[in-house]
Amino acid sequence: MKIPDRLGGVDISKIVFYVEKWSMVKWPITGSKRKPAIVKRNIMVGLALVIGFVLVLIFFLPVLLDVNRYRDRWMPVLEQALHRPVDVEDARLTIFPKLGIRLQGMTIADDPAFSPLPFVTIPSAQVVVQWAPLLHRRIQVDHVLVHDPTMHLIRTQDGSLNTATIGKDPSLQSPGKALSNTRGSLKSLLGVFAVERLSMTGATLQYEDRFQGQSRSYQLDNLELVTNSVQIGETASIQIKGMVMPSRLSLEVNGRFGPLQPTLDVSMVDVVG
């Protein structure tokens, strides 16, 4: 049967032409075939947003969380534990590459009975803590790195050292009360001494010996010190390198000390060098 070219005034050949043309068009994928691509794209966008947020947090959190605002909380803890005035010019939180605190211009005063000069001055120090213990509300110090400190060590005529009164309250006359007070004051600071690694670079040690009325002075320059396992009740290893001035003699010492007591006293020191 022959199809008429026109039906009721409508050109049948044009209708057939457009139907054939539309059938050749490649339509986009729709329905369930398109959903995996949309889901994959949304996942990639979500990951990009999370990574971007983390990067922004890393760079801006140290600025938003100023440790100096809370110095009235952590500074008294240091001073009470050491029983020495402590001053810190600046303290900054660090997130990248490691979590911790960077200290600038730190000074620990000496016992006034020995000297009015500072006992220790530290231009820069970095305290690195571990992430995992923070999830359990514990602080575990991984590494303490001290740059270019200057220390003043003094021995008096009766043989006493100015380090002997660190962490001890001289106002307490009773030995029992002094020991109890020392342990209590250091209890909140035990985390500082529970470190996996303590190191110093570029240090200067000035030693003044007043024993038996004869004053002699010595100085160690370019001092490098590394200790491991500095924890209460543990025996730590120690490595020391430096140069004795003014004779310019090289010094190298390896040894152990400990176990460290809550009063910061040690019962054994074994060195070779």
Side-chain angles (χ1 to χ4, degrees):
M1 180 178 179
K2 184 179 180 181
I3 299 176
D5 294 335
R6 302 183 69 85
L7 182 62
V10 178
D11 191 345
I12 300 300
S13 62
K14 291 184 177 181
I15 295 177
V16 174
F17 172 77
Y18 285 117
V19 170
E20 291 178 351
K21 186 176 181 180
W22 282 36
S23 64
M24 296 175 65
V25 175
K26 296 182 179 180
W27 299 97
I29 299 176
T30 58
S32 60
K33 294 183 179 180
R34 193 179 179 186
K35 288 182 179 179
I38 296 176
V39 172
K40 184 177 180 180
R41 185 185 65 182
N42 291 339
I43 292 176
M44 296 301 294
V45 172
L47 289 176
L49 291 175
V50 171
I51 294 174
F53 175 77
V54 171
L55 292 176
V56 171
L57 186 65
I58 289 175
F59 284 105
F60 287 97
L61 185 59
V63 179
L64 298 176
L65 184 58
D66 188 0
V67 182
N68 293 296
R69 296 180 180 178
Y70 307 97
R71 65 170 57 232
D72 58 339
R73 297 183 181 181
W74 53 266
M75 187 75 77
V77 175
L78 289 173
E79 293 183 337
Q80 181 183 7
L82 298 174
H83 284 291
R84 300 282 181 88
V86 178
D87 183 51
V88 177
E89 293 181 1
D90 186 56
R92 296 290 177 181
L93 178 68
T94 60
I95 302 295
F96 182 83
K98 294 183 178 181
L99 177 65
I101 296 178
R102 181 179 293 110
L103 304 175
Q104 300 286 340
M106 183 175 181
T107 302
I108 301 176
D110 203 345
D111 187 333
F114 290 85
S115 174
L117 299 176
F119 171 61
V120 177
T121 56
I122 303 175
S124 176
Q126 178 76 26
V127 180
V128 179
V129 300
Q130 299 179 4
W131 283 92
L134 295 178
L135 302 178
H136 303 281
R137 298 182 179 181
R138 294 186 296 106
I139 298 177
Q140 177 66 43
V141 180
D142 183 66
H143 189 193
V144 177
L145 178 59
V146 182
H147 300 281
D148 305 324
T150 300
M151 299 166 287
H152 297 268
L153 189 61
I154 300 175
R155 185 169 76 153
T156 60
Q157 295 182 3
D158 60 359
S160 300
L161 292 173
N162 58 342
T163 57
T165 58
I166 294 179
K168 300 177 182 179
D169 190 351
S171 64
L172 298 177
Q173 302 297 327
S174 172
K177 291 183 179 180
L179 180 60
S180 176
N181 179 75
T182 301
R183 289 177 175 174
S185 63
L186 289 174
K187 184 177 181 180
S188 57
L189 199 65
L190 291 183
V192 175
F193 296 100
V195 300
E196 295 296 330
R197 184 179 177 87
L198 170 65
S199 59
M200 290 191 303
T201 60
T204 299
L205 174 62
Q206 299 174 348
Y207 176 64
E208 183 180 353
D209 190 357
R210 306 171 184 169
F211 186 61
Q212 295 181 349
Q214 298 180 0
S215 181
R216 296 179 296 271
S217 297
Y218 305 92
Q219 182 166 311
L220 269 174
D221 285 344
N222 301 322
L223 182 65
E224 296 182 4
L225 181 146
V226 177
T227 64
N228 294 303
S229 300
V230 185
Q231 303 181 31
I232 300 298
E234 297 289 336
T235 298
S237 63
I238 184 171
Q239 299 176 350
I240 299 176
K241 294 181 180 180
M243 181 173 292
V244 181
M245 302 298 289
S247 57
R248 302 184 64 85
L249 295 176
S250 297
L251 173 69
E252 185 172 352
V253 175
N254 297 305
R256 300 179 303 156
F257 67 94
L260 188 63
Q261 304 298 321
T263 56
L264 302 186
D265 294 328
V266 294
S267 57
M268 182 272 295
V269 177
D270 182 16
V271 296
V272 177

